[in-house]
Amino acid sequence: MLTSIRGLSAATLSMGLLVTAAPAFAEESSAGETTIVNEELVAASAALDAKPVLSTSDRAIEPINEAEANKVAGESGLSFSANVAFATEYRFRGVGLSDGEFAIQGGFDVSHSSGLYVGTWASNIDEQTVGFGSTEVDLYGGWSGDVGEGISTDVGVIYYLFPDAPGVAGNTDYIEFYGSLSFSLASVSVTPGIAYAPDQDSLGDTDNLYLYTDVSFGIPDTPITLNGHIGYTDGFLTFTNDSEAFDWSVSADYALNDTFTISAAYIGVEGDAANDLIQPDGDLVFTGDAFVATLSASF
């Protein structure tokens, strides 16, 4: 559970991101990239004494590819894009939400030349293991754009829904605010970020803080990008006794063409596990290390 000091820190960091973004609003930047937590979120269920939630990041919130987006009505400034992915497993901030089974995921985004965007993303989850039904749907909106040479920001809010969860409707849904800064130089980019979910019924009347850093390196003259991620969760959304957990991943992306990408990632989460389930082969269902392969497409 977050202390009042940590809650204040989260608010201060979030305000800092918003203040940083303000000049770009005034200049009506046309950058408009959406970074959405692409890796796999933490689940921690009330029925399991921890709710399954988690991104990197890892509910798949992916950047909007403006080059591939569908431009409409000349002066409207609107762009549309869609994405679909087939993954060997759904991992959110290191925690497995599909019980090690195959996941089908996809989303749709609308962005404006001002940098404003809205979108939705969905994935199947394991109904029995997670306890929140078989589907997760994320609705989000925010602003992204350049705030300096090689520096961009992304701020917004995301609403996590579990439409077919058993029990009282809405008991599992929750809201989270997020912000990040991305620093790019040549083929290297570093993105520190924060996500904060305030006190909510679905979080056991407590809150949750998530801090992370992503690093990526595009190998020159190749279609390969190497990525690293580390995150820290403090609050309700962990499978630990002390409400703290670290998640990490290393991955590589191979762009087959402008539409299709193959990714391979090794993902793990560290913490004092409280409600882990053990499969017959001895592997941990939620927090055991896993290799995840993904075929994705952006349109």
Side-chain angles (χ1 to χ4, degrees):
M1 187 185 309
L2 293 179
T3 64
S4 58
I5 294 178
R6 187 170 65 255
L8 178 60
S9 299
T12 302
L13 286 173
S14 298
M15 286 301 297
L17 289 169
L18 288 170
V19 171
T20 303
F25 272 114
E27 297 171 6
E28 296 185 347
S29 169
S30 60
E33 289 187 9
T34 304
T35 299
I36 296 196
V37 192
N38 222 328
E39 285 176 9
E40 303 73 24
L41 289 183
V42 170
S45 168
L48 299 173
D49 293 331
K51 176 184 188 283
V53 183
L54 262 162
S55 25
T56 116
S57 317
D58 282 32
R59 258 178 176 103
I61 296 180
E62 305 218 0
I64 294 176
N65 190 329
E66 294 292 347
E68 296 172 358
N70 218 354
K71 307 294 182 184
V72 297
E75 298 181 358
S76 71
L78 294 177
S79 299
F80 299 87
S81 65
N83 62 85
V84 63
F86 303 91
T88 56
E89 182 180 352
Y90 174 23
R91 287 258 164 166
F92 176 68
R93 295 174 184 167
V95 175
L97 299 186
S98 63
D99 192 23
E101 300 298 325
F102 193 78
I104 299 176
Q105 307 168 334
F108 180 80
D109 298 278
V110 180
S111 63
H112 187 263
S113 57
S114 65
L116 295 173
Y117 64 84
V118 293
T120 184
W121 179 88
S123 176
N124 61 287
I125 57 178
D126 182 66
E127 187 170 4
Q128 294 182 342
T129 302
V130 177
F132 282 172
S134 60
T135 306
E136 173 194 329
V137 178
D138 302 343
L139 303 176
Y140 51 85
W143 181 88
S144 66
D146 295 334
V147 294
E149 185 175 355
I151 304 175
S152 61
T153 188
D154 182 14
V155 293
V157 59
I158 183 168
Y159 183 32
Y160 299 107
L161 301 92
F162 303 88
D164 61 346
V168 180
N171 268 3
T172 56
D173 302 343
Y174 70 98
I175 294 176
E176 186 176 67
F177 300 91
Y178 60 85
S180 66
L181 283 173
S182 182
F183 304 88
S184 301
L185 179 62
S187 58
V188 178
S189 68
V190 179
T191 304
I194 180 175
Y196 180 71
D199 293 7
Q200 297 165 70
D201 291 342
S202 57
L203 301 184
D205 293 321
T206 184
D207 54 5
N208 193 83
L209 174 67
Y210 184 66
L211 304 172
Y212 68 91
T213 298
D214 293 332
V215 179
S216 67
F217 170 66
I219 300 178
D221 302 319
T222 75
I224 299 174
T225 301
L226 304 179
N227 312 287
H229 163 83
I230 185 168
Y232 169 73
T233 302
D234 192 347
F236 188 78
L237 306 179
T238 64
F239 276 102
T240 63
N241 290 309
D242 58 4
S243 297
E244 295 184 17
F246 287 91
D247 69 278
W248 55 270
S249 68
V250 290
S251 63
D253 303 330
Y254 186 93
L256 298 175
N257 50 42
D258 291 339
T259 301
F260 294 95
T261 300
I262 294 178
S263 302
Y266 192 78
I267 302 167
V269 60
E270 309 295 334
D272 184 14
N275 292 297
D276 239 329
L277 301 180
I278 301 178
Q279 296 174 327
D281 60 5
D283 290 339
L284 300 179
V285 173
F286 292 119
T287 60
D289 295 356
F291 175 81
V292 178
T294 303
L295 173 63
S296 60
S298 298
F299 309 94

